[in-house]
Every structure is written in structure tokens, then in C-alpha cells.
Amino acid sequence: MRLRVYELAKSLDVSSHSVLMRLAELGVPARSASSLVDSATVTRVKESFGQYDAATEAGSTTPRQSTWNAGAVKPSTHPDTLRNLQRLKREFPVVEDHQTILARLGSQFVYSGTGRVPKFEDCGFALVRFSGAIENAFGLTREVFFFYSPHNDLQIRTFRAAKNALVGLQREVTPDMMFLWSPDVRLREKLDDWSSGNFLAIPLVLSDDGDPIAFIKLLRDYVFSRDLFYETTPVQGDRFFGRRRLLQTLRDDIGNQRVAGLFGLRKAGKTSVLSELAQSLAGPETIFILRDLESLPSPPDDPVPILLQDLTDDLLSGLRQRRLGTQDLSRLAANPGIPEFKRAFQATLRKLAESDITVVLMLDEIEYLTPSDRIDVSEGDMTSVAQLLGALRSLVQENGNFTFLLSGLTSAIIESGRLYGRPNPLFSWAKANFLAPFERHEADDLARSVGQKMGITIDDGALDALFEATGGHAFLYRHLASAVVNELPVDTFHREIKKPLVLRITNTWRRQVAGNMREMLDHVKRYYPDESYLLEILMDEPESFALVAEDVPLALGHLISLGLIQEVDNSYELTPVLQLL
């Protein structure tokens, strides 16, 4: 069967120009979009764009070597690059074999160095740019780090030195992957143990016959074995998605010294937002202190003494890392009171202002200071909490180089007029921001970007199903996507998520996350009693909900902002988050 170029382009969902360029790279003459190409060429072009169904149907589980040459990288001709590569080959003769294999795959060494890894000067490294076909198949967009060690017994300290060398390069390099070679016979076993879910170390263990496809299979076996959707810790950098508008708002708040609150459901991504915010604003002129309050005792037990000691220790650590003065904070007693802490912090801030250094304090899981099921948040006997917040507010007002953020589930700490028997120092002063579920375009971006790094394409129907099942809740979205990925084969070169697969997995997945959802709802009930009552009305008597909600507009606003209910055609309904219960 023969196809016109424009027909082939349409089937690939790319432009005719892209197909013409790819045909030229493959050495196939084609003058225009109406040119005919034979079936063998069609298969090669499809493979080069990452569509390997044709090869599989023909009985091949590995596309041909010529396929991987598409978008070949030209060898470097720069004298410095060639000289450094020759030096690396003299130190590690195996580099010659690797260069030959990579060249046959349209890939090249583009940078190298020896003797430049502190305390590991006998090691060397290089950067490789893979062909367009390989980059497309495995989700690579940058140069990839290759590390060479001469040690017969590779130690984890060498592995860590390799990671540090990767981070220290002043180039755009793939940040979460490297290839490592050493003569250690246990290389594969060790790297498999030392790699983490967020960093992939691939052992350069290849067959002696120099078959280039062995390298492709090695890359496939490791890249396809990853599950990058599953996250249990806060994400930042390349692993952070969406929330751009919120991040900019929080940056503006910090820049203008406005105290802000960030509120959202458990596992909605609040700590990730704080971590990404700190990373994006990091610099020698800013000290970020992120303190999780979950480990503190909660009222009616007094959490303030322990919190003051923790904040003192964190501030001292931040100052010492920058070799700044610590005298005022160091003089504090072991268990300082709020006035003593404020005076010492005040003196420290004034000295830091002379060097234009700002301190940003982030208090996470703030609801543990306001457990409404254990104590009356408005009039209860826990004045130390309100007193501490008042002291922090005073420090913001009196110093141009300090501000703080609050983060957690409940916004009562800044929305209640009274706090533990005193006027709330943050009422009508701090600004509330709510972390809603992902918008559709943010969820799609996460799915496609993360999937690409695992060599996975996701069709529009699958994206629809993922979003509909989770409502865009960050934890649920990643969790469902992870469950789907675990159903994909790893012994193929074409992995695609389609809607039927997502639908098939969803029912089983709902049972798996039922416990998580119950815990999330219990958390809402504990800290949002009015909102919890409204939810019960919507679940049991939906026809009465609108009338009841009119009497508690603030609670209604919270439920909408948290992504628990949604307004549809002038009525309200549960979002997919609660429909999982």
C-alpha cells in the first residue's frame, strides 16, 4: 500500500513539512505533500515518530536500527570537544565502544571531562545527545549524563559524587537520569538498589557483540519500568505541574510583604506549592523556614513552647549556613517565652536588613493549632496561639524584611473574628488563597509530560476519563494514572493509554482509595463543622441544600473553593472527590 505524504502526516497528527523533513533524514526522496511513499517507508516513518504498531504487527518487538537513526545528531567538530573526548577514551577505553554504538543509533558525545569531580579525580563523564527518534520514544528532550568510574568495587559515595557532578554542570541536562559505567561485576545490582523513584541510574552493561539494539533494549527496560506518577513526598522543579497563577500570587504576596494563607484538602498539593515557591525564590538574600506543625501537641495542650524552640533552631541553622551572625538568637534560654523570642528575632531581622536579607516563615498544617473538635477556637483557653500570631504580625509591620505564610486545611485561623478569647490578629489582615483541584489543562499537561518521560502516549479519551474520575484532585489524579501505568506492558516499544484501559482500572482503583477518601472527609468534619453539616444535607436531602446554604454563605464558599461541591445549572452537586465514597 502506498500513501501520499499529506495522508501519512494526517495519520501521525503532524504537518506535511515534518514528514518531508523526516523522509529527507531517512534518505527517501519526496518533493511535495502529494508525493507517494511505499509501505516499507511508511512503517519507517511511523516508527521514527514513536508509532511502533507497524513493527509489532510484522512480528518485530524491536524497531530496526535504521529507525533509531532518524533525526541523527551530527558529530562535533570543535577541537576542544574532540580533544576532551580523546582524553576520556584514554582513561576509559570502553568509551570508544560506546561512541561506536551510539553513532550507529544517530547519537553523539557532545561534551566530556576528566579529573573534574572533587575527591574523585580518577572518574570521568560525558554528555550524549540522542537522535530525534530515541528522544521521541523515551521522552528525552536534553543531553544525558554518562559517568565513568575505574573502581572494581563501586561505592555509594562515588554514585553520590556522580549525581553532584550532574547537578553542578552549567548546561541543560536531563536532571533525573544518568548512565554509569564501572568494571564492578555487581554494577547493575548496586545501581538498582541506589536508584530512587525520582532518579534513574542505568548501568552501562552491554553485550560484547556491539549490537546497537542492545542499548535500546537497556534504555527501554529501565525507562519503562519507572512509575513517575506515584508520588508520596512534595514535588518541585521539573516534577511540579500547574498552579502557575497561584504561585505568582504568592510570589507577589511575599514581594509586597503581605501575609497569606494557603488552604486546601489533604494531599491537594499544598506542601508542594510551598516547596516550589521556596525553590523559585531561593537565593542568598532570602532565608526560607518551612515548619510542619503536625508533630506538635494540639490545643488544649499548649504547642507554642515547642514551636518557639523549633523556630529558633531553624533560624539559627539558616543563619549558620550563610555564615551570618547568630548572637541574639543564641542567647535565648532553652524554653523562651513569646516576648523573649520576639525581641531576639527583631534584633536579628534588623541586622539582616543591613545586608538586604529577608526571612520568609512558612507554617504548614496550621489546622493543628485550631482543632475545633477539641477546643472552642473562638473563646477557648489557649491565648498563647493568638499571642504568637500577634507577635509575628508585629514583626511583619515593624520590619521590611520579614513575612510569613500559613498553610493547611482550615482558614478559620484568619477568618474568625476572635481567636482563643482574644481579637484575632490576622482577621481582615491576612489573605486567604484556596488550592482547588487541577484545571483540565493543568491535569492534561501533567499526564502528557510525566507519561512522555516513561515513553507513554495518552489519547484524548484517556485524559477525559482520568479527569472525570478524579475531578483533578492532585493526589487522586496521580494515584489513578499510576494504577493505569502499572497495567501497561514493558516489553514493547509502543505504550499508549487509551480510554477503555482507564475505565477498566477505575472501578478497582475506587476501592483502593476509599480509605484515603474517608480519612480526607473525616479531616474536613473535624476542622469544618459547618461545612460538614452542609455536605450531609447535600448527600441526604439535596432538594433542601440551596435553602440551608443561604444561611451559611462562608461555609458554602469554602466547599466550592476546596473542590468538594460544584454549581451546575443553578444547583449544587458533589464533585468526583466525594462521589468516590
Side-chain angles (χ1 to χ4, degrees):
M1 181 184 66
R2 305 177 73 191
L3 288 179
R4 304 281 182 185
V5 168
Y6 69 83
E7 293 174 324
L8 178 55
K10 184 177 181 180
S11 71
L12 292 167
D13 195 24
V14 299
S15 68
S16 296
H17 176 73
S18 297
V19 172
L20 289 169
M21 294 291 291
R22 187 56 51 87
L23 288 168
E25 292 169 356
L26 295 173
V28 178
R31 295 183 177 181
S32 68
S34 60
S35 298
L36 285 168
V37 289
D38 58 38
S39 58
T41 302
V42 168
T43 298
R44 293 177 63 195
V45 172
K46 285 185 174 182
E47 290 174 347
S48 73
F49 278 99
Q51 295 193 9
Y52 303 115
D53 288 337
T56 302
E57 291 169 2
S60 171
T61 58
T62 306
R64 296 178 295 272
Q65 176 189 323
S66 60
T67 298
W68 300 107
N69 287 328
V73 179
K74 294 182 179 180
S76 175
T77 58
H78 194 282
D80 291 342
T81 302
L82 297 176
R83 182 167 52 253
N84 290 333
L85 183 57
Q86 284 301 121
R87 186 179 300 121
L88 183 64
K89 290 179 183 179
R90 287 196 297 270
E91 297 292 332
F92 300 94
V94 71
V95 173
E96 184 81 53
D97 298 332
H98 294 164
Q99 183 184 25
T100 300
I101 290 173
L102 290 170
R104 293 172 65 186
L105 295 169
S107 308
Q108 299 290 340
F109 285 96
V110 296
Y111 183 84
S112 60
T114 54
R116 291 164 49 189
V117 182
K119 299 182 180 180
F120 294 87
E121 288 78 8
D122 55 350
C123 295
F125 61 86
L127 298 179
V128 168
R129 188 73 198 224
F130 287 113
S131 70
I134 294 176
E135 288 191 339
N136 184 71
F138 297 104
L140 302 172
T141 59
R142 311 179 192 178
E143 298 165 350
V144 178
F145 189 68
F146 279 51
F147 190 84
Y148 293 88
S149 165
H151 305 135
N152 291 310
D153 183 13
L154 187 70
Q155 300 294 308
I156 194 169
R157 60 178 179 269
T158 307
F159 174 71
R160 290 172 178 156
K163 292 179 66 174
N164 291 336
L166 167 60
V167 173
L169 286 173
Q170 300 299 312
R171 294 172 69 98
E172 289 294 326
V173 183
T174 302
D176 59 352
M177 175 192 297
M178 73 172 172
F179 288 83
L180 196 152
W181 180 90
S182 95
D184 191 338
V185 295
R186 297 179 59 215
L187 177 63
R188 185 188 296 271
E189 176 186 347
K190 291 180 177 180
L191 293 188
D192 288 351
D193 181 47
W194 297 340
S195 292
S196 66
N198 299 321
F199 188 86
L200 181 63
I202 303 176
L204 271 169
V205 179
L206 301 171
S207 57
D208 294 335
D209 61 7
D211 180 11
I213 297 303
F215 180 86
I216 296 297
K217 290 181 177 179
L218 176 70
L219 185 57
R220 178 198 64 185
D221 291 345
Y222 276 85
V223 171
F224 288 5
S225 67
R226 295 198 292 181
D227 179 3
L228 298 180
F229 282 114
Y230 187 76
E231 295 280 2
T232 58
T233 57
V235 298
Q236 60 184 28
D238 290 344
R239 295 157 53 214
F240 185 89
F241 292 89
R243 321 296 196 190
R244 297 303 168 188
R245 191 181 311 165
L246 174 60
L247 279 172
Q248 188 55 53
T249 297
L250 294 174
R251 290 190 195 100
D252 291 342
D253 289 338
I254 291 175
N256 292 292
Q257 210 184 3
R258 291 189 296 260
V259 174
L262 176 62
F263 306 106
L265 296 175
R266 286 181 68 84
K267 295 186 177 295
K270 299 182 296 294
T271 307
S272 292
V273 170
L274 296 183
S275 298
E276 178 68 10
L277 180 66
Q279 185 186 58
S280 67
L281 294 176
E285 69 285 349
T286 307
I287 299 175
F288 282 94
I289 305 294
L290 175 57
R291 179 65 174 90
D292 187 336
L293 305 183
E294 187 172 3
S295 62
L296 296 178
S298 293
D301 298 325
D302 192 355
V304 171
I306 297 176
L307 177 56
L308 288 177
Q309 188 60 59
D310 288 348
L311 293 179
T312 300
D313 293 342
D314 290 342
L315 287 164
L316 285 170
S317 176
L319 294 171
R320 287 166 180 155
Q321 287 178 6
R322 292 166 173 77
R323 302 183 183 278
L324 298 169
T326 62
Q327 298 89 335
D328 297 291
L329 288 170
S330 297
R331 294 194 191 104
L332 281 174
N335 295 298
I338 294 174
E340 292 78 18
F341 173 81
K342 181 188 173 185
R343 283 194 295 271
F345 196 7
Q346 174 78 283
T348 300
L349 288 170
R350 289 175 176 170
K351 291 177 181 177
L352 292 176
E354 297 174 2
S355 302
D356 294 323
I357 295 177
T358 295
V359 176
V360 180
L361 174 63
M362 299 175 174
L363 298 179
D364 198 11
E365 306 290 359
I366 200 71
E367 65 267 21
Y368 287 94
L369 297 183
T370 56
S372 56
D373 64 333
R374 298 184 60 190
I375 190 169
D376 183 348
V377 175
S378 297
E379 301 297 338
D381 184 18
M382 189 52 62
T383 57
S384 61
V385 172
Q387 186 182 1
L388 174 59
L389 295 176
L392 294 176
R393 170 177 170 160
S394 295
L395 287 168
V396 173
Q397 293 173 316
E398 297 166 9
N399 300 274
N401 61 332
F402 173 66
T403 191
F404 64 97
L405 285 80
L406 306 175
S407 174
L409 171 63
T410 175
S411 53
I413 200 164
I414 65 174
E415 292 179 340
S416 175
R418 292 183 63 77
L419 187 64
Y420 296 126
R422 299 170 62 130
N424 186 347
L426 303 184
F427 178 67
S428 295
W429 189 73
K431 185 182 74 171
N433 299 279
F434 284 86
L435 187 62
F438 283 129
E439 296 181 17
R440 175 58 192 269
H441 70 90
E442 293 176 321
D444 288 356
D445 181 44
L446 184 155
R448 286 196 172 107
S449 298
V450 176
Q452 183 184 42
K453 293 181 179 180
M454 297 181 285
I456 296 171
T457 58
I458 307 177
D459 72 11
D460 290 340
L463 293 173
D464 291 339
L466 287 168
F467 194 80
E468 289 170 5
T470 63
H473 183 281
F475 167 76
L476 296 175
Y477 194 91
R478 282 184 172 274
H479 200 284
L480 177 55
S482 171
V484 174
V485 166
N486 286 327
E487 293 296 314
L488 293 176
V490 296
D491 58 349
T492 179
F493 282 87
H494 178 51
R495 302 207 299 169
E496 183 176 14
I497 295 176
K498 295 186 177 182
K499 187 172 184 176
L501 176 60
V502 178
L503 295 177
R504 178 168 62 82
I505 298 300
T506 297
N507 286 335
T508 302
W509 169 78
R510 287 177 185 273
R511 294 192 293 270
Q512 292 174 346
V513 298
N516 299 91
M517 293 309 306
R518 177 56 57 186
E519 189 271 341
M520 288 169 60
L521 187 58
D522 288 345
H523 214 59
V524 171
K525 289 181 177 180
R526 179 179 182 187
Y527 295 104
Y528 278 112
D530 290 343
E531 289 78 358
S532 180
Y533 171 69
L534 278 184
L535 284 177
E536 291 178 1
I537 294 294
L538 185 56
M539 291 177 181
D540 300 333
E541 304 176 41
E543 67 279 358
S544 305
F545 179 81
L547 184 62
V548 176
E550 288 179 0
D551 295 331
V552 280
L554 183 61
L556 176 61
H558 287 161
L559 291 175
I560 294 173
S561 297
L562 291 169
L564 292 172
I565 68 173
Q566 57 192 359
E567 190 172 5
V568 180
D569 297 331
N570 297 318
S571 63
Y572 297 95
E573 62 181 34
L574 301 175
T575 60
V577 172
L578 289 182
Q579 292 171 7
L580 292 173
L581 293 172

